[in-house]
Structures are given as structure tokens and as C-alpha cells.
Amino acid sequence: MTATRPTVEDRPGAPELSTTIRNPATGAVAGEVAWTDPGEVPAIAARLREAQREWEQRGPEGRAKVLARFAVWMGEHREEIERLLIAETGKSAVDAAQEVPLIAMITSYYVKTMAKALQPETRPASLPFLSMKKVTVHFRPRALVGIIAPWNYPVANALMDAIGALAAGCSVLLKPSERTPLTAEVLLRGWRESGGPDVLALAQGARAVSEAVIDVADFIQFTGSSATGVKVMERAARRLTPVSLELGGKDPMIVCEDADIALAANAAVWGAMFNAGQTCVSVERVYVLESVYDQFVEAVVQAVNNLEMGAGEGHHFGSLIDESQVAVTERHVADALAKGAKALTGGSRPAGSGNFYPATVLVDVDHSMLCMTEETFGPTLPIMKVPNVAEAVRLANDSPYGLSASVFSRDVDRARDIALQLDCGAVNINDVITNLMCTTAPMGGWKMSGIGARFGGADGMRKFCRQETVVAPRTSVGGGLTYYNGSLKMAKRTNKLLAKMALARPRKLLK
Ligand code: NAD
């Protein structure tokens, strides 16, 4: 039996008020979700805005305590969270177990650094003449941040940005994916049981609810497909609401002739199959130098043959989220096979129940095939032989996406040099996906993979703030030298002096 996903009729007055969510691996009931009427979203937003004022006034130290309690609550309720997570996604237990630790890690970093990150900054004068002013930049939270999330990581997608926004002093209206709405309900309960005030709320539904969230928020943090990201940005533009878009990818891996082939093969297999390939930064295509191609392919096939597919305990990766995701994977594989590729493992949907697709290694692939150009988001690993690194770089960059990439070479300096020729937001050397854990650095896509970035140390909180500059006098002298109540002669002299001082440095540089 194939599990079906809910369809949400989320226009106001829709007849469908709730839906049963089923496990895509087994069809078993995971739970029931009550959809939010889009017409209710402005009232939810008003409530959040009201509560946000007190939340902001608590200051970073006060907010850090609540965030720390929430992290500990998640640690203590990990089993319950992961059980539900598996029930609504069909993940393997080992994949599900990565989400709570990631959020705990992010929270741990923010509670340590938020006071400093949100402190006003004093800026130096650009010219000595201007040092009569004291310039400070203040980070003031946007009252209401709307977070619109996809389904592939129900805990991480819900909270990896929300924690930064809450730390900054914002309130958060979270719209989980309509395909995985249940885990967010438990997380909200956890926030409340941790003593969190009414600055976190859910809006459950699909497009119409998302649009209602965009229409009320002061900032939109969107994670999802590139096609939807474009629509979100268009909608947000109506009110000039800023957006941060974390979108799709087609991440390449480059394997040089001097790579540790066993390491590269294992990394490729995990990077492609982790979470059944449903990871924005999964390895979607591999370019291998001719001299090590056969060795690499052999190692990959061997590693894939050892994988166990199935939901829950004892399996490496689980089911796909629904029938449509299986259909995309099937379409990409069929297209490749029809154009001359070979499937060394998998290659067709297994008989039996659930939305499973086997780990599929494809060779003899090229850029005429969908599996090398469009985001598959399934457990496929297309491998292409290349004559040299320059060609690997050219092919890696031949994509509308630019999320992340990986390079394998025993010569790390060489790999870094290759990394800096790749047009994307992050490159992992001799590893895959790890940049996601390096939350002191920004994670963001180039090209159609997004705008803005998440994390990035202090920026992970400051992005949810408006910057306000306050210019104060250091002395009573110096103000009003060009005001109309002074003489025109004095104004002229001041302007002349200013120009002379501003030009001193450029003139010196040219001497
Ligand atoms: P999606 O774009 O279909 O949906 C994402 C969210 O947008 C959902 O909550 C959905 O209800 C909402 N939505 C749908 N139509 C909308 C509209 N017209 N206006 C406003 N909101 C709308 O994406 P998905 O299938 O849920 O997720 C998979 C995609 O997410 C993949 O492309 C994947 O690469 C990407 N992703 C990116 C990252 C990243 O950090 N870059 C992380 C995870 C997933």
C-alpha cells in the first residue's frame, strides 16, 4: 500500500478543518492536525506582537535562560520527538537522531554569545574630523519573524532559524510544511513547558496560510524549493518585507586523482543517501578524475550494497516523504537510463508497500540528463568521469544552483584552490555536509539556491534585527557649522576644510 499525504484546502471557510497524517513508510496513522484558517493569522500575529515587547525587554540574559531550558527540555524528550518524527516522515532512526542534537548545538552557541552579539556597537569616525561624534549601531529585533519550513527535517527546519530569532528578541510565527505538521506541535508544547512566553506560535496549512504569514510578518525566513522561493519573495515585496531564502541545490562532489578513494566513496554514499537523499546539501552528482574512476565506482557500489533501507531502528535510510517524491526520483532515473546511463545498483521501485526507492548508483551520465541538472532529492548517486580538474570545475558550475559542494584530494591546499573556483555558498574538503554544523560561518546559497544566509555567528541573530544608528555629540563644539543661522562664509570655510581632509588620504596614496 502506498501512503497518501494530506491535501490542504486552506482557503477561509474550507470544509477540511483537520487531516490525519500517515507514516509514508507504513501508512500507519501518525496523528491528526488541525489546520489554521488563513483569516485567523492576523489575530495570531497581533497576539505575538503584544508578547514580543516584554520578551525584548527581558534582554539577552533573560531570554537565554528560557532558550537553555527549552534545549534541555528537547534533550529530555528526545525519544518522544524522534518517535513522532519517524512516524510522520518514515525516516530511519539514525537519520531522525541527528535533528535534536543540531538544535541543541545551535542553542548552546547562541545562549553563550547572544549578549555580546546583540550589544550596540561603537563605530569609529571615518575621518578624524568626525570624531567629535560618537556613533553607535543598535540591533533592535523585528517584532514578528515568519518562518516557512519544508518537510525534510521537521525539527531542524522548525527551529534552526527560530532559535536565532527568539534569541534576538523577536516573536516567531512558524508555518511548518503541511506534509509534516505534527512534530512542530510537540516543539511548541516544549516551548511552553520550558516557561517560554507567548512569542512562538504555529500556523498550520499550505500555500494560503503561508501567504497570510508573509502578509503579516516583519521578516520572512523561508526554506524550500527555488520555485516557491521566487513566489515568496514576490509576495513579500508587496510590503517590502525582507526575506532570507534557503532554497534547493544540486551539490557536486569532485574527486581528484590524489584523493583517499575509500574516504571519498563512503562520503559520497552517505552524502547521497542520508535521509534518503532528501537533504538540501546532499551529494547530487559526482565528477571523478579518469585515473581513479574505476576504483571509486567499485568502492561506491560495494558501500551501497551494504545499506539497509527501512524506517525506524536498524536501517540506514528510510522512505521518501510521499508518492510525488518517488515519482521525481523515478523520472530522473528513467530519463538517464533512456539516454544511455547504467544503474549499477537499484534503478527501479521495489515491489511492496511504502514510498521507498532503493539507493541507485548511475554511471555513464552527462549533462543532457535530468539526474545531473535538476534537483532529484532522492537516493541517487550519478557519477561522471572527467579528464581533468578544470573540466570538473566547469561542469560543477554548470548549474542554476549554488548551495554547496565537496572536493576530495589529499593535498588540502590544492583542494582549497579548487573550492575557490566553485560558485556556491560552501565547500567541504574531504567531507560532505559538515558545513551545516559550522554555525559560526554563514550557510547560504548562490544563484537559485537562495538569498541571504542562516547562522554565521552573530549574524545568525542580527539578521532578525533592524539596525538603528545613534549619533551623539562628544563635545558641545562642532555642531551646526553649516546651519543657516551661521554665516555663509563660515559654511563655505567648513565645506572647504571638509573636502581638504577627505582628500588627504587619496592624495597621499597616489604620491
Ligand atoms: P516547497 O517549496 O514545496 O515548500 C516549502 C514551504 O513553502 C512549505 O511550508 C509550503 O507549504 C510553502 N509553500 C508552498 N507554496 C507556497 C507559496 N506559493 N507561497 C508561500 N509558501 C508556499 O518545498 P518542500 O518540498 O517542502 O521542500 C523541499 C525543498 O526544500 C527542496 O528544494 C530542498 O532543497 C529545499 N530545502 C532547502 C534547504 C536549505 O537550507 N537551502 C533546507 C531544506 C530544504
Side-chain angles (χ1 to χ4, degrees):
M1 197 204 87
T2 298
T4 50
R5 305 303 299 175
T7 53
V8 191
E9 278 277 84
D10 57 2
R11 60 179 186 275
E16 194 181 13
L17 299 177
S18 67
T19 300
T20 301
I21 303 294
R22 290 180 182 276
N23 185 327
T26 62
V29 172
E32 188 82 8
V33 59
W35 303 120
T36 307
D37 185 327
E40 285 169 20
V41 170
I44 301 172
R47 204 183 75 208
L48 288 169
R49 284 181 188 282
E50 180 63 33
Q52 184 270 337
R53 291 200 205 108
E54 188 270 336
W55 180 240
E56 180 180 355
Q57 278 161 15
R58 286 189 195 196
E61 287 82 5
R63 296 196 294 273
K65 289 235 163 59
V66 181
L67 291 169
R69 278 200 299 272
F70 184 40
V72 171
W73 185 95
M74 281 190 279
E76 288 167 354
H77 292 76
R78 212 175 142 181
E79 223 174 281
E80 179 190 351
I81 297 169
E82 287 169 6
R83 214 178 316 120
L84 184 57
L85 182 58
I86 292 167
E88 71 172 345
T89 58
K91 285 182 195 234
S92 66
V94 69
D95 283 349
Q98 306 240 345
E99 298 207 41
V100 171
L102 175 69
I103 298 304
M105 208 181 79
I106 292 167
T107 312
S108 165
Y109 175 70
Y110 283 157
V111 297
K112 179 178 163 219
T113 57
M114 57 197 276
K116 190 157 179 248
L118 298 167
Q119 240 171 30
E121 272 182 7
T122 304
R123 297 283 164 91
S126 59
L127 291 171
F129 173 73
L130 295 172
S131 61
M132 65 182 70
K133 300 292 184 190
K134 182 174 182 187
V135 182
T136 45
V137 177
H138 298 250
F139 299 96
R140 300 193 45 206
R142 297 172 194 274
L144 178 57
V145 171
I147 294 184
I148 302 172
W151 46 264
N152 56 341
Y153 292 97
V155 175
N157 292 330
L159 294 179
M160 65 183 157
D161 302 300
I163 297 290
L166 290 165
C170 313
S171 58
V172 170
L173 179 51
L174 168 66
K175 212 281 308 158
S177 169
E178 65 279 17
R179 287 148 141 177
T180 53
L182 302 177
T183 307
E185 301 275 356
V186 173
L187 298 175
L188 179 62
R189 193 191 92 213
W191 174 255
R192 290 185 180 144
E193 287 179 9
S194 310
D198 194 16
V199 290
L200 176 66
L202 299 180
Q204 295 281 23
R207 183 184 52 78
V209 174
S210 263
E211 289 175 351
V213 170
I214 297 167
D215 290 348
V216 295
D218 302 317
F219 186 94
I220 289 294
Q221 174 71 46
F222 174 81
T223 307
S225 63
S226 301
T228 310
V230 169
K231 291 181 193 151
V232 167
M233 193 164 173
E234 277 172 4
R235 181 100 188 182
R238 294 182 190 175
R239 293 170 54 244
L240 293 183
T241 303
V243 294
S244 183
L245 306 177
E246 301 294 335
L247 309 177
K250 188 74 193 169
D251 287 4
M253 172 193 270
I254 296 176
V255 182
C256 298
E257 71 286 357
D258 61 350
D260 175 338
I261 298 301
L263 174 73
N266 282 313
V269 173
W270 181 73
M273 309 306 167
F274 171 56
N275 209 37
Q278 302 169 118
T279 303
C280 54
V281 287
S282 67
V283 174
E284 287 254 337
R285 51 196 171 118
V286 187
Y287 302 98
V288 188
L289 271 286
E290 245 161 26
S291 59
V292 288
Y293 175 83
D294 290 341
Q295 195 191 344
F296 177 81
V297 171
E298 193 186 326
V300 161
V301 170
Q302 204 177 345
V304 166
N305 284 334
N306 290 331
L307 297 182
E308 292 291 337
M309 179 171 71
E313 289 296 342
H315 303 107
H316 291 102
F317 69 90
S319 82
L320 299 186
I321 194 68
D322 63 13
E323 182 58 37
S324 70
Q325 210 56 48
V326 179
V328 173
T329 310
E330 277 187 313
R331 186 164 59 84
H332 285 195
V333 172
D335 169 78
L337 297 179
K339 290 173 179 160
K342 277 202 285 293
L344 300 183
T345 67
S348 64
R349 192 174 179 168
S353 63
N355 293 312
F356 289 100
Y357 196 90
T360 297
V361 177
L362 294 167
V363 293
D364 297 342
V365 292
D366 61 42
H367 278 216
S368 71
M369 301 172 188
L370 298 173
C371 69
M372 295 299 280
T373 54
E374 287 189 8
E375 186 180 43
T376 307
F377 228 54
T380 56
L381 185 56
I383 308 172
M384 186 169 170
K385 194 191 285 184
V386 287
N388 51 50
V389 167
E391 182 62 359
V393 168
R394 187 189 73 74
L395 289 165
N397 287 338
D398 177 24
S399 171
Y401 295 110
L403 197 50
S404 65
S406 53
V407 178
F408 283 74
S409 163
R410 282 199 172 87
D411 181 344
V412 173
D413 288 338
R414 178 186 184 212
R416 187 178 286 111
D417 181 53
I418 296 168
L420 293 174
Q421 298 172 54
L422 297 175
D423 300 336
C424 62
V427 180
N428 293 292
I429 295 175
N430 296 336
D431 205 348
V432 290
I433 305 184
T434 358
N435 68 292
L436 247 177
M437 301 286 163
C438 306
T439 56
T440 51
M443 180 219 171
W446 292 17
K447 303 190 266 183
M448 289 305 283
S449 290
I451 275 191
R454 59 164 53 101
F455 309 142
D459 291 343
M461 293 168 270
R462 288 181 178 177
K463 68 183 271 191
F464 298 113
C465 297
R466 294 181 169 97
Q467 294 186 25
E468 184 171 332
T469 300
V470 177
V471 180
R474 284 187 197 277
T475 66
S476 55
V477 190
L481 288 176
T482 55
Y483 288 0
Y484 291 141
N485 61 346
S487 67
L488 288 176
K489 202 170 154 195
M490 167 72 109
K492 204 170 164 186
R493 200 182 303 150
T494 305
N495 288 335
K496 199 173 159 190
L497 185 66
L498 189 61
K500 190 176 169 196
M501 286 193 294
L503 287 169
R505 197 176 293 138
R507 281 191 173 128
K508 194 171 162 201
L509 193 80
L510 294 175
K511 264 188 190 156

